[in-house]
Structures are given as structure tokens and as C-alpha cells.
Amino acid sequence: MRLPQLISNSIIAFAVWLVLWSLAGRASESAPNGTTNSQASAATLVVCPRCAIKRLSDALREASAGAKIILQSGIYNEGEMTIEKPVAIEGQDWPVLDGAGKNQVLTVKADNVRLKGLVIRNSGKSYIADLAGIRVEGARNCVIEGNRLTDNFFGIYLASSANCAIRGNEIRGNAVSEVFSGNGIHLWNSNRITVERNHVTGHRDGLYFEFLHDSNILGNVSENNVRYGLHTMYSANNHYSQNILRANHAGVVLMYSRKLKVVANRFEDNWGPACYGALLKDLDESELERNLFFHNSVALYADDANRNRVANNRFYNNGFALRIMANANGNVFSGNLFEANSFDVTTNWSSGSTSSFDGNYWDDYRGYDLNRDGIGDVPFWPVRLFGLLLEEYPQAIVLLRSPFAELLDAAEQAIPVLTPHNFADQKPLIARPPWSKSQTSKSALAQ
Amino acid sequence: MRQIATLARYSALELARSWWTACYCLFFMVLAFAFFAFGEEPAQAVVSVLNVVLLVVPFVSIVMGVLSFYTAREFAELLLAQPVGRLTVFFGQYMGTAASLALAFAIGLGIPFVWYGWNAREQSGTLVALLFGGILLTFIFVALAFALAVRTENRLKALGAAIFLWLFFALVYDGLILAVIVAFSSFPLEKVLLGLIILNPLDLARILILLRLDVAALMGYTGALFRQFFGSPLGIVAASACLTVWMALAVAVGASTYVRRDF
């Protein structure tokens, strides 16, 4: 084939592809997700300050079920708007829906609603009502994707909803106090919700879930919130993975829940008096695996949390790595790395806890391994006497880093009599497990 | 005054020529370089150095103070036969000994601090506090050493007493604090503890430096109260007054005994 021929052929091929692509695009536009069963005409309404339809509320009134509303750039200050039919609202060049600090902004009461590319700001604040930027009530199959929510009381609020996706939203609050502030993403009494790649900051709890079941919380970043990064109450069977919970009062707080999976998250810089990386209260039969706890005052706190599995996590540079109360029973800690923590494990005095340790790596371990199988020949007692004293007499903290405290610990390490006997790792690892090698460098932590 | 300075210079030189002072200086240099080079975080290196400083500086100061007093004994007797006041001789010796030890400490720790502190400027305030605290501790414990050494002819007895005194400040006192905490655990003890901490120069130095560091967050409510107190003008006055009083008291006891002593 000669060169001119080749060029002309490829131009024709490109033109054909272009036509097909634009046809396909139109086809997909006319049938938005989840509206297949509605008999609606595939109308698209365009709203902008200079269009025929100038107000979003007019478009919502006119639109038939399954319609698509394209909201072009502009500021829409229209009071509270309620969506009562399945429509998709798509913003172009970030149109602004402003609550003017008085009311809720968008309320969704219909199934199959899709919100994308909107800026929603200044919802009202109230001590009585939970005003939100976007509130979804009793709806199914909603998709809230790629929006920017700024300075709202609550950001996205789902009540009694199911099968929704909240994806890639940027949620920025201006919370100052815990008492008068709302949560970034608030899910109440909902099932099968996907919360993915959102960024939440400046709210009370970044992510707050109550009575949430069978949901997937993936790849979110929740930081600098005035209370918790992620808060879960009365929930079960949720999966939390690859989230980053940074510089909150507590990273993740899991309460009165069961069967949660918490995998490969990062809890970091939750630092200050009474700050926690993960706080478990009445959490049962859950799994915490491959998480990184870095620079938290207390990395993991377990109070009345039972039969959980804590495996292959890395606890690095925390004040207290584990605080396990006597009422936390049957938890198994295995394959974790404990490095450069001020205290590895503390517990109440004469703890009767039946939690156990098995095959962890402790940087304070001074044992030996004669048969070279990688497992230390003498057990490791991770509870230091001074740590034990602290749980009983918190004021003894004035002796932190004093030679006297070090002497107490040395004596107890030599002849353990006071530290709880079941809190011993019978098979401490001699070297770091291979999986941790990739992330030992400081630069890996700084990511 | 000039005589004091001359004498101080003489005894400082005497000590500076000693092999032990050089070792002392080198010890801190190696130690600080090692902690900064092998530790991952400058703040952790500071805490580790702090631990060693709080143990070693008082010990070396009190032991070297006693030893140098006895070493210079004959020379002091010779001097006292001259028209020189007893107080002058005492202060000259004290200043010389304390200053040379403080200088050795400051050089030993100062060089690695400058070297690494350049990269960790957010810690520079803490490094200065640590240097300053170590120097103050040197002056206090050399004063205590002289106060002990003046009272007895027996070098071993004085040395024993010095080591006991060091043990008391470094370990026993904290044990007593713990006993108080355990015995009165149902009472709000923060203010009592504050008083007890201020009374022991070693505890005071430790707390002042810990409060500047990250680990202060572990100290919870007690730490917050301490931070508030030591940040207030009253706290600063109380802390420096306490350190000064220890030094002044020890020097006064030593000097008054020296003046009345029969050589």
C-alpha cells in the first residue's frame, strides 16, 4: 500500500468511527442508568441563567420520569428542592446550588436518581433538624457522583435507602465544635451502599454509618474532622478497605457492630490527648487486616470487643499500640508488626482478658532462635509494668521516660510476675515478615 | 573577683587536661551522633539523648566534683597559706570544675546538635533546652559534690555519699512519687505532683523537655495542666527559682563549711 492511499484510508476509517461513536453516545444518553423500566421519553432539559428554563425547580417540574437535566454553570439560589421522580441531573462547569445558610439544598425522594458534577453549598444549620446538602430519603439505586459539597451542615445524608453509590465527591465542611456540626457522609438505616473515593474534611464525623449493612466503603480519605474520621454504630457485614483516616480526633470508631471487615486502611496522625487510630467498643467477630497504624496516640483500643481477628497490621511510631481492656475477650492478634511504639500493649491491672497473641513481630524482643525456624524460643511479654501501672494510676504518667520507670520495666522483663500471663506471645517472630519489607522505608510511610 | 577568675581558670585547665574530661566530651559526641544517625525521627533521638543525659550528667558531675576536690586539696592548702580569702579559693575551685565539665558536655552534645539540628530545625528549641538543662544540672551537682566533700576528710566516704545522693535524685525520689500516687490515687493529685516534680531538678528537667516533644500528648490531662503551668510566667519563675535555689543552697552549705573548716 502506498502512503497517500494509507492516509486516505485511515481518514475514512476515522470518520466512520466518529459517526458510530457519536451515535452510540446519543443512544447511551437517551437511556440513563436505571431508567430502563420507565416509559419516559428520553428528553434532555437544559437549564441555565439565559436558557428557556432558568430555574432547576422549573425543570424538575417539567421533566418526565427518566429525563436528564443538564444544569449549566450559574448560581441557583432556589430554596429547598425536592426530586420526586427518577431524573439525572448533570452539572456542566460546576453549577452552584446555594442553600443560603437557611434550608436543606436537595432532597431526593425518588428511586434511580443520579446527581453529578454539582456544587452544593451553604445548607442551613440547625440544632433540631439534620439539614444536609443532599438528603436521600427512602430511595433506591441513587448515584451521587463527582460533586463538590462545601460548607454544608451535613454533606450527603441517606436515610432508609438501598443500592446507592456515593462516589468521588469532594466534601468540605467548616465545623468548629462537635456540638454544632454535622457529618460529611451520613448513612442511616441503609443497605448495600457503595461509598468510594470520596474526600471528606472539616465535618464532625467524616463518614458516619448507623444501621448500615452489606456495604462497601472503599478508598475514601477522611481527614481533619473535629470528631472521628469514620464512625460506625449498630452495623454488620460492611467492608472497609483502602481508606485513609488522618488527623481526626479518632480515625475509626466501630461500636455495637459485628462482622465488619477492615482491610488495608491507613490510620495516621490521630495525635493528641485521648486520640485514637481505631476505637473498638462492643465490636464482635470482625477482622482487621493489613492496616497501617502510624503516629496515633492510641493506635487500637478495644473495650468489650470480642472474638475479633487482628492480623498482619503494622503498628509504627504510636504512643500506645494496643490498649486492651479486661472485658475484651477472645481476640486474636497474629502476624502484626510492632515497631517504635512508646508502649506496645497495655491492659487493666490483673486483666482477665482471654485475648491472645501469636506470631507477631516485636521490636523490643530480645530472645534467641536456636533451631533457626524464625520463631523465638522464649515467649515475649509485651505488657510493660509501667504501662500496667498507668492503666491503674493514670497520674503515674509524670514518670514517663524516667530512669525509675525503665528500671521497673527491666525488672519485670527479667522476672515477669505482675504482668498478665496470657498476654504473652509464645511464638514471637525473630525477623520482620516478608510482606512488611516493601513498606519499611520512611518514604513509603510518608506517601 | 579577679582572684576567683584566676583560680577558676587554673582548676578548669587542670580538669581540661584530665583524660576523663575528654572521655566525657567524646562520650556525648559519639552518643548523640549515633542516636541521630540510626534513629528514624529526630524527636526520638532527642528523647533517647535526654534519657542518657538525665542519668549520666548528674552522676559524672557529682563524682568528678568530689574527686577533683580531693585532688586539688594540697594545692588548696598551699593557697590558703597565702593572703587569699577562703571563699575565694572555694568559689574559684567550684566555678572551674563546674565550668569545665559543663563545657565538655556542651561541646560533646553541641557539635552533633548543630550538625543534625540544621536538618531538624523544628527541634532546635528542644535541643537548646536540652543543652541548657544539662549545663544547669552540671552546676547543681558539682555544687552538691563540693558540699559533701568539704564535710569529710575521707575521700571514699564522700564518694559513697555522692553516689547515694545521685541514686536518690535519679531513682529513689521517683519511687517515692509513685508511692504517693498509689497511696492517694483517689485524690486529685496534679498540683501535688507538680510541686514534687519541681523539687527534684532531674524530674523538672525531664518534664520541661518532654513537654516540648510529641510524646507530651501521652501525658493527657496531667500533661495539659503541666504545660499550662510551665507556659505561664509563674511556672517559668518557679522552675528557674527552684533550679537556682538548689544550686545556691548547695554552694552556700559548701562555702560555709569550707570557711569554718580546720585544715
Side-chain angles (χ1 to χ4, degrees):
Chain A
M1 205 185 285
R2 297 216 330 255
L3 192 64
Q5 215 177 339
L6 184 74
I7 289 171
S8 66
N9 278 359
S10 35
I11 286 172
I12 291 165
F14 180 70
V16 169
W17 174 79
L18 209 65
V19 169
L20 285 176
W21 180 79
S22 59
L23 282 176
R26 205 168 294 162
S28 76
E29 270 175 17
S30 60
N33 280 355
T35 57
T36 42
N37 53 0
S38 71
Q39 292 299 310
S41 65
T44 298
L45 291 85
V46 178
V47 182
C48 71
R50 288 187 208 160
C51 302
I53 309 173
K54 293 186 172 51
R55 292 159 57 89
L56 178 59
S57 31
D58 295 341
L60 284 172
R61 205 175 308 119
E62 277 175 37
S64 47
K68 175 174 181 177
I69 299 172
I70 294 200
L71 193 60
Q72 291 184 339
S73 130
I75 294 175
Y76 301 86
N77 194 341
E78 303 180 30
E80 181 170 350
M81 280 170 281
T82 306
I83 303 174
E84 284 167 321
K85 41 193 144 181
V87 291
I89 303 178
E90 197 167 299
Q92 273 180 359
D93 298 326
W94 303 108
V96 176
L97 303 182
D98 198 318
K102 281 184 294 205
N103 47 278
Q104 193 145 271
V105 186
L106 265 182
T107 308
V108 177
K109 289 187 171 168
D111 294 350
N112 303 315
V113 169
R114 192 182 157 90
L115 303 172
K116 192 180 175 190
L118 308 173
V119 176
I120 292 172
R121 69 183 190 196
N122 298 331
S123 80
K125 298 196 172 192
S126 164
Y127 281 111
I128 305 159
D130 293 343
L131 300 176
I134 301 174
R135 177 195 281 264
V136 181
E137 266 177 36
R140 305 171 80 83
N141 307 326
C142 60
V143 177
I144 300 170
E145 191 175 20
N147 302 289
R148 293 182 187 161
L149 293 101
T150 45
D151 300 340
N152 298 294
F153 190 46
F154 281 73
I156 298 174
Y157 192 122
L158 265 65
S160 308
S161 300
N163 298 338
C164 285
I166 301 171
R167 220 178 272 133
N169 299 288
E170 174 76 34
I171 303 171
R172 194 172 290 274
N174 52 8
V176 179
S177 74
E178 260 183 46
V179 183
F180 195 46
S181 57
N183 305 317
I185 296 179
H186 184 107
L187 309 182
W188 180 77
N189 190 26
S190 296
N191 296 318
R192 298 178 301 281
I193 310 287
T194 302
V195 180
E196 197 179 340
R197 296 194 320 276
N198 300 286
H199 182 219
V200 188
T201 172
H203 276 275
R204 180 173 58 193
D205 293 344
L207 310 167
Y208 179 91
F209 310 137
E210 193 173 344
F211 303 108
L212 179 75
H213 302 279
D214 308 307
S215 294
N216 200 357
I217 319 302
L218 176 73
N220 301 284
V221 178
S222 180
E223 57 188 347
N224 295 310
N225 296 293
V226 292
R227 201 170 65 179
Y228 309 143
L230 193 164
H231 190 179
T232 298
M233 309 264 282
Y234 313 110
S235 298
N237 298 318
N238 297 322
H239 197 116
Y240 307 85
S241 61
Q242 294 169 35
N243 301 289
I244 299 178
L245 304 147
R246 188 189 291 136
N248 305 292
H249 207 74
V252 45
V253 175
L254 308 174
M255 301 170 102
Y256 309 104
S257 299
R258 47 199 294 274
K259 301 205 169 174
L260 303 179
K261 279 201 168 124
V262 182
V263 180
N265 302 283
R266 296 168 64 101
F267 304 89
E268 55 192 24
D269 294 326
N270 300 297
W271 188 266
C275 282
Y276 299 88
L279 190 152
L280 316 182
K281 161 95 182 134
D282 279 69
L283 176 77
D284 296 340
E285 293 157 43
S286 296
E287 286 177 25
L288 283 88
E289 261 191 75
R290 302 198 312 277
N291 300 289
L292 169 67
F293 294 86
F294 171 62
H295 197 245
N296 304 287
S297 293
V298 179
L300 183 69
Y301 177 84
D303 182 13
D304 201 7
N306 303 305
R307 301 180 302 285
N308 299 291
R309 208 171 85 85
V310 180
N312 302 337
N313 300 284
R314 182 160 193 237
F315 296 89
Y316 179 74
N317 197 12
N318 301 287
F320 298 80
L322 302 177
R323 277 181 73 191
I324 302 163
M325 298 296 102
N327 56 2
N329 286 305
N331 302 294
V332 177
F333 298 86
S334 66
N336 301 291
L337 255 82
F338 295 89
E339 288 173 295
N341 304 300
S342 291
F343 298 90
D344 285 332
V345 181
T346 62
T347 180
N348 321 35
W349 193 262
S350 65
S351 167
S353 170
T354 57
S355 294
S356 61
F357 295 88
D358 194 24
N360 300 282
Y361 173 80
W362 312 88
D363 64 349
D364 280 346
Y365 184 56
R366 298 281 173 270
Y368 46 83
D369 177 21
L370 288 183
N371 58 359
R372 300 220 154 256
D373 60 353
I375 293 166
D377 296 347
V378 286
F380 179 68
W381 279 271
V383 180
R384 290 166 55 186
L385 183 54
F386 184 52
L388 213 54
L389 273 171
L390 276 183
E391 287 291 343
E392 197 74 0
Y393 309 105
Q395 291 159 328
I397 194 71
V398 297
L399 301 179
L400 182 70
R401 296 280 173 184
S402 69
F404 183 72
E406 315 269 330
L407 185 75
L408 281 183
D409 290 340
E412 181 65 15
Q413 275 291 327
I415 315 155
V417 270
L418 296 168
T419 47
H421 271 265
N422 52 325
F423 274 36
D425 193 332
Q426 300 291 342
K427 298 176 183 171
L429 301 181
I430 285 291
R432 289 188 182 85
W435 59 265
S436 69
K437 296 267 163 62
S438 56
Q439 47 153 289
T440 45
S441 70
K442 208 177 158 192
S443 58
L445 284 172
Q447 274 172 14
Chain B
M1 210 59 212
R2 243 184 62 215
Q3 285 173 327
I4 294 181
T6 316
L7 276 169
R9 202 169 65 231
Y10 169 77
S11 60
L13 280 174
E14 168 91 13
L15 209 61
R17 273 203 298 271
S18 125
W19 173 236
W20 288 111
T21 319
C23 277
Y24 182 57
C25 176
L26 209 66
F27 168 76
F28 278 113
M29 207 180 293
V30 170
L31 179 92
F33 267 118
F35 277 130
F36 276 99
F38 296 119
E40 286 206 37
E41 302 262 332
Q44 281 176 345
V46 173
V47 171
S48 307
V49 172
L50 169 71
N51 273 354
V52 179
V53 166
L54 288 181
L55 267 183
V56 171
V57 166
F59 180 76
V60 170
S61 297
I62 205 164
V63 168
M64 291 289 270
V66 167
L67 291 181
S68 81
F69 183 85
Y70 285 103
T71 316
R73 171 99 203 258
E74 281 168 12
F75 176 64
E77 277 173 20
L78 182 75
L79 271 182
L80 289 176
Q82 314 297 317
V84 185
R86 282 194 168 195
L87 275 181
T88 313
V89 175
F90 181 81
F91 277 113
Q93 275 192 5
Y94 167 65
M95 294 305 285
T97 311
S100 64
L101 280 173
L103 195 70
F105 165 77
I107 292 173
L109 218 49
I111 290 174
F113 276 9
V114 170
W115 185 273
Y116 284 100
W118 195 250
N119 294 327
R121 250 157 289 181
E122 69 270 25
Q123 299 293 347
S124 57
T126 314
L127 298 184
V128 171
L130 189 50
L131 270 180
F132 193 67
I135 290 169
L136 265 176
L137 287 181
T138 308
F139 274 89
I140 290 173
F141 279 87
V142 172
L144 287 171
F146 272 51
L148 285 176
V150 167
R151 302 185 86 82
T152 169
E153 296 277 329
N154 188 335
R155 177 195 287 237
L156 277 181
K157 216 163 139 191
L159 208 56
I163 290 173
F164 174 78
L165 205 60
W166 169 76
L167 264 178
F168 177 77
F169 281 115
L171 287 173
V172 178
Y173 191 87
D174 287 348
L176 293 177
I177 287 186
L178 184 62
V180 169
I181 292 172
V182 171
F184 301 101
S185 59
S186 42
F187 297 90
L189 277 179
E190 278 78 15
K191 288 190 179 145
V192 178
L193 290 178
L194 197 59
L196 288 174
I197 293 286
I198 287 186
L199 282 180
N200 179 352
L202 283 185
D203 278 333
L204 183 58
R206 176 172 55 82
I207 291 288
L208 283 179
I209 291 174
L210 280 188
L211 284 180
R212 300 188 60 96
L213 293 168
D214 236 9
V215 284
L218 300 188
M219 300 181 70
Y221 173 71
T222 314
L225 195 104
F226 277 31
R227 190 194 289 259
Q228 192 191 8
F229 178 74
F230 288 120
S232 70
L234 177 70
I236 295 164
V237 169
S240 34
C242 201
L243 289 172
T244 323
V245 165
W246 268 112
M247 188 159 50
L249 207 68
V251 169
V253 168
S256 67
T257 320
Y258 196 78
V259 170
R260 280 181 283 109
R261 194 182 140 152
D262 185 21
F263 276 95

